[in-house]
Amino acid sequence: MHDLFAAENQALLAAKAAHSASASAPNGQALGDLITAFERLLRETRRLVRRSDKAELEMNQLNMRLQDLAAELEHRANHDPLTGVLNRAAIIDLVNRQFGRHDLALIVLDIDHFKRINDSFGHPMGDKVILGVVACLQAVVPAAAQVGRVGGEEFTVVLPRHDGLESERVAQALRRAIESHAFDLPDGSGVTASFGVCWAPAGGDFDTAYGLADEALFIAKRAGRNQVRLTTSSSHPAEHVV
């Protein structure tokens, strides 16, 4: 390790050598006193430098901890505590920002008969179902997609630059993944979800897109559930089952 005081040490050694060689000289005592004072000053300086280094290390550690806490705070502010996916506020912000750059599709899905699951088997089982649904979504959605939880058993999937047909195919894949997933309910029953899909061009907004997707979701529910329905910002929800 580099010695910050290498030059001072060399000067001290030279002074000690000179003092040894001329200890009996008239100025020998003064030189000795000066050497002693210099050594004391050098020790004190080294001690202060060590304290400064320790303080700097502690400050760096505190800064790192502060950054970690800030990142954790931001994550908690933007993510659902149960599932870890984006929360409603974060999804709204994301969709509105995405609409400023390009078109997108918004999938809204709702777990069918979720109240029955909570009422029959308790909320811990309901939470397990929610986590299972999220796992299905995350396993199927494209890499560019974002998943969010916007209500108790309601989720959204944001699909940038996906047209209507592409988003329908994604929604169908999600529907099949949930339908075939083993949720291990006590009565052996399965879990399904209904889907509403909205595609809108750039310049749209979350409220409009979500309202249309939610309308399509309502039609899917009314038609018997476990279905996908599509709408666009310029049309009414399609009545066909994809």
Side-chain angles (χ1 to χ4, degrees):
M1 180 180 296
H2 176 67
D3 186 356
L4 293 175
F5 303 99
E8 288 78 4
N9 278 326
Q10 290 299 320
L12 179 61
L13 291 174
K16 285 182 175 181
H19 180 257
S20 297
S22 58
S24 58
N27 62 348
Q29 180 63 40
L31 179 58
D33 292 343
L34 183 60
I35 289 172
T36 300
F38 187 82
E39 285 182 315
R40 184 170 60 252
L41 180 60
L42 190 58
R43 287 196 300 271
E44 183 65 16
T45 303
R46 287 183 182 277
R47 186 180 68 82
L48 290 174
V49 168
R50 287 195 297 270
R51 288 180 61 184
S52 176
D53 289 344
K54 181 180 179 182
E56 182 179 4
L57 176 61
E58 291 175 349
M59 182 63 70
N60 289 337
Q61 291 173 337
L62 287 173
N63 283 336
M64 291 177 61
R65 177 58 178 156
L66 185 61
Q67 292 173 8
D68 290 342
L69 288 174
E72 182 180 352
L73 181 63
E74 182 179 6
H75 184 273
R76 292 192 178 190
N78 294 324
H79 291 77
D80 173 60
L82 174 64
T83 62
V85 299
L86 294 176
N87 60 25
R88 183 182 181 89
I91 281 290
I92 293 173
D93 179 66
L94 172 68
V95 170
N96 286 329
R97 283 189 288 108
Q98 295 271 10
F99 266 134
R101 298 193 295 270
H102 47 68
D103 59 350
L104 61 81
L106 188 66
I107 298 174
V108 177
L109 63 132
D110 185 90
I111 301 173
D112 295 329
H113 304 296
F114 185 73
K115 186 177 184 302
R116 178 191 71 85
I117 295 172
N118 273 337
D119 291 347
S120 299
F121 312 121
H123 289 279
M125 180 58 70
D127 288 348
K128 181 180 177 182
V129 168
I130 287 174
L131 290 171
V133 167
V134 170
C136 291
L137 300 180
Q138 292 175 326
V140 173
V141 295
Q146 291 282 355
V147 178
R149 186 183 182 192
V150 295
E153 67 271 21
E154 188 171 311
F155 302 87
T156 63
V157 178
V158 182
L159 298 170
R161 297 187 178 90
H162 278 60
D163 62 26
L165 291 178
E166 289 174 328
S167 55
E168 277 187 325
R169 285 193 288 267
V170 172
Q172 281 290 0
L174 296 173
R175 185 191 63 79
R176 289 191 295 269
I178 294 170
E179 183 182 39
S180 61
H181 184 77
F183 287 91
D184 298 326
L185 294 178
D187 63 354
S189 60
V191 174
T192 62
S194 301
F195 294 76
V197 184
C198 174
W199 173 89
D205 61 83
F206 174 84
D207 288 340
T208 301
Y210 181 83
L212 291 170
D214 195 52
E215 185 181 348
L217 170 63
F218 176 76
I219 292 175
K221 290 277 192 182
R222 190 176 61 189
R225 296 181 171 82
N226 193 24
Q227 298 181 26
V228 174
R229 294 302 172 95
L230 169 70
T231 186
T232 69
S233 61
S234 59
S235 69
H236 295 292
E239 288 291 345
H240 68 281
V241 178
V242 181

